Amino acid sequence: MIFYFSGTGNSEWIANQLSKGQNEDLVFIPEALKNEALEFDLQKDEKIGFVFPIYSWAPPEIVLRFINRISLKEYQNQYLFFVCSCGDDTGLTQQVLVKALNDKGLLCHAGFSVTMPNNYVLLPGFDVDTKELERIKLANAVPRLTEINALISRREKIFSCHEGSLPFLKTRIINPLFNRFQMSPKHFYATDSCISCKRCEKVCPVDNVKLREGRPVWGKNCTSCLACYHVCPQQAVQYGKRTKGKGQYFNPNSGY
């Protein structure tokens, strides 16, 4: 069983590759969270995976909230792993996730990171990658996933995450500030370029965007995945002045 969260499709693509390689079912975390009880029956030889993007050098809050609520029936120390997608580095994501799992009595046996195209654009100096770098990252991700699938198939106990520089500062100092001040949807708006296509509404993983009188309106349940911004064919979705002149990215295998 593979639990995954994805906004602009990078982690969804990874989860699909792992599901095929390991012959494990996929569970989309936002859909699962709609249920009051998060109980999942496990088989004796089942593998348990968590797939998610890096948000400010840590797992997204929605993933940690899911882990906190999850109940795995017949858990007998089955092989458990995680794979995270990142634009550059992961910080102390491994330590954060392993602790969250340990707090639930779950033992993490392996963890991996996969470098994918950048999509965070809400801070100065942050933008999507050039088309050439995007192409290179997507191409390199294919053999990386092949390698990871092979390691998981052998149930290897290994951690291979690219922490990068200053991981403590990024995860322990910057990430809490990000979660507190950068998760708000209140600055989202649609310009007059909006054509009421509803793509932003359909793509939101937590159903936080609704069209009213032909324009998108954002609720309070935002994960800051930026799918609504990146999917807009007119680039009508903006976030204050922070997204002005910034690029867009959506995984080419996502169907959007």
Side-chain angles (χ1 to χ4, degrees), residues 13-46:
W13 174 76
I14 291 172
N16 281 322
Q17 300 307 304
L18 293 171
S19 174
K20 295 173 185 176
Q22 305 305 319
N23 194 28
E24 294 287 351
D25 292 333
L26 284 175
V27 176
F28 189 42
I29 287 175
E31 282 297 318
L33 280 170
K34 294 178 182 178
N35 301 315
E36 202 164 307
L38 293 179
E39 295 182 347
F40 299 91
D41 294 318
L42 298 178
Q43 302 299 318
K44 186 176 181 180
D45 60 346
E46 189 165 356

Side-chain angles (χ1 to χ4, degrees), residues 126-142:
F126 284 69
D127 203 346
V128 299
D129 295 321
T130 64
K131 288 300 179 181
E132 177 62 14
L133 182 54
E134 176 186 314
R135 184 192 65 78
I136 292 171
K137 285 184 175 182
L138 289 172
N140 290 341
V142 175

Side-chain angles (χ1 to χ4, degrees), residues 162-201:
H162 178 56
E163 284 191 357
S165 61
L166 304 174
F168 182 89
L169 172 67
K170 291 174 177 176
T171 303
R172 303 302 185 190
I173 307 299
I174 298 177
N175 177 261
L177 294 173
F178 171 86
N179 289 334
R180 183 175 180 181
F181 298 110
Q182 295 295 321
M183 297 286 285
S184 172
K186 67 180 181 180
H187 297 297
F188 278 114
Y189 70 98
T191 69
D192 291 339
S193 299
C194 176
I195 57 174
S196 305
C197 66
K198 294 188 176 183
R199 295 183 77 181
C200 55
E201 180 180 275

Side-chain angles (χ1 to χ4, degrees), residues 237-249:
V237 174
Q238 295 289 315
Y239 192 86
K241 296 181 180 180
R242 302 183 194 180
T243 47
K244 186 177 180 180
K246 299 288 184 73
Q248 291 176 293
Y249 167 80

